[in-house]
Amino acid sequence: MPEPAHLAHPRGVDVAEHRARVLAGLTPLGAEEVAVADALGRVLAADVVAELAVPPFDSSAMDGFAVRSVDLAALAEPAPLAEHAGSADEGFVALPVAATVAAGDTAPVLPPGSAIRIMTGAQVPAGADLVVPFEWTTDTDPVRILRTAAPGRHIRRGGEDVAAGEVAIAAGTRVGPAQLGLLASVGVDRVAVRRRPRLAVISTGAELVTGAVPDSNTATLLAAGRAAGAEVAAFGPVVDEPAAFADRLAVAAGAADLVVTTGGVSAGDRDVVKAALREAPGFWFGGVAMKPGRPQGFGSLDVDGRRVPVITLPGTPIAAYASFLLYAVPAIAALAGTPREPRTAELGVDVAGSDRTVLLPATYDDAGRIVPLPGHAGHSQRLLAAAEALLVVPPTDRLVAAGTVVEVLALRPEEDLHAR
Ligand code: AMP
Ligand code: MG
């Protein structure tokens, strides 16, 4: 006879093993098209091709005079330094000024043998191949030009940054403020982005339904899910009755790409999630070697041909949040097509190891090293709210020495929303 799971794994399976179980087979959701105005924070699903060149036309980089360089062939190049300019014995070329152009004007054609007065940002007149800055000139009309330069000088070429038809931003890029500006410049107003995973959160517990205990897990997990890039909805709390839970789960799974439940997964008489799903094909329930958060479960439901993963977390608030960060956040990233390596930090002090992964509310010292907050009391939500991160102490029978690089789970991910 096979051994019961709790005897085969007295300390529970490793965190990494459970994480791998949750992530196995998760593939990115499809794409959708959105207006650029709604694309902040989204991930591009396809390369964006420029419809317009950046800059859109040849423009002047200086205030000065647009000329034909052949008309200045009599001048030396490189020309004398500015302090020599205008001295009586220097040569000069005098050109009549045909027009003035400023930014926003349509430039006239430059007649041969003349100059057009031009302001920074203005379109370079057809025929001109050089802008002579005011500093190289005296008088106004005719303008006396004291030195010349190679053709193209002080002209920003249209398309020199991005040519029309070129890929401006690659698929997989997260859209932030600079990308929004570039999308505007290249004349694109709709983009294909990866679909945001829809996360359903179902809290369980009769004490939540009666209001005897406030439903803090729903508050935390909806926020953490949103910060991880999901669209979120609550389907709890639900009473501790397997049939009621199963009904709620079916509704939630029908509306979601990922379901997360809290509570009801340990070994009590009223452990509703486990009771409802224990016999469901492919579901696993057992202990994970982590503290807090030992009782865990995972499986997936087939909903109209879609595979909807269901992560069943323990109910204690710190355990639920820590487990969500360890298992659900990477699942959301996988569905969004933005997987990322776990975040790490250097440990600032020695920390005792144990036979399981330990999650400690922690903060960063001045050197950016991670340090547990004093007064750790297993289940303190107040301590968690004072922390910047959860320090993930790996299982070991030794001391984890200061300087060791450890995994950290950020508790203020919204500050980093666009850094992924
Ligand atoms: P359970 O895992 O269902 O046995 O719950 C463990 C403990 O966490 C109990 O004290 C519950 O009252 C509490 N708890 C469970 N779910 C929640 C929740 N959504 N919000 C706050 N506390 C909860
Ligand atoms: Mg419960």
Side-chain angles (χ1 to χ4, degrees), residues 204-205 207 240 263-264:
T204 68
E207 73 282 21
D240 294 311

Coordinates of all heavy atoms in Angstrom, one line a residue, residues 204-205 207 240 263-264, ligand 2:
T204 N -13.0 31.6 1.7 CA -14.0 30.7 2.3 C -14.0 30.9 3.8 O -12.9 31.2 4.4 CB -13.7 29.2 2.0 OG1 -12.4 28.9 2.7 CG2 -13.5 29.0 0.5
G205 N -15.1 30.6 4.5 CA -15.2 30.6 5.9 C -16.5 31.2 6.4 O -16.8 32.3 6.1
E207 N -17.1 32.2 9.2 CA -16.9 33.4 10.1 C -16.7 34.6 9.3 O -17.0 35.7 9.8 CB -15.6 33.1 11.0 CG -14.3 33.2 10.3 CD -13.9 31.9 9.5 OE1 -14.8 31.1 9.1 OE2 -12.7 31.7 9.2
D240 N -18.7 27.3 4.6 CA -17.9 26.1 4.6 C -18.8 24.9 4.2 O -18.9 23.9 4.9 CB -17.3 25.9 5.9 CG -16.3 27.0 6.3 OD1 -15.4 27.2 5.4 OD2 -16.4 27.6 7.3
G263 N -8.3 29.5 2.5 CA -8.9 28.8 3.6 C -9.4 27.4 3.2 O -9.4 27.1 2.0
G264 N -9.7 26.6 4.2 CA -10.3 25.4 4.0 C -9.5 24.3 3.3 O -10.0 23.4 2.6
Ligands
MG2 MG -11.8 28.3 7.2

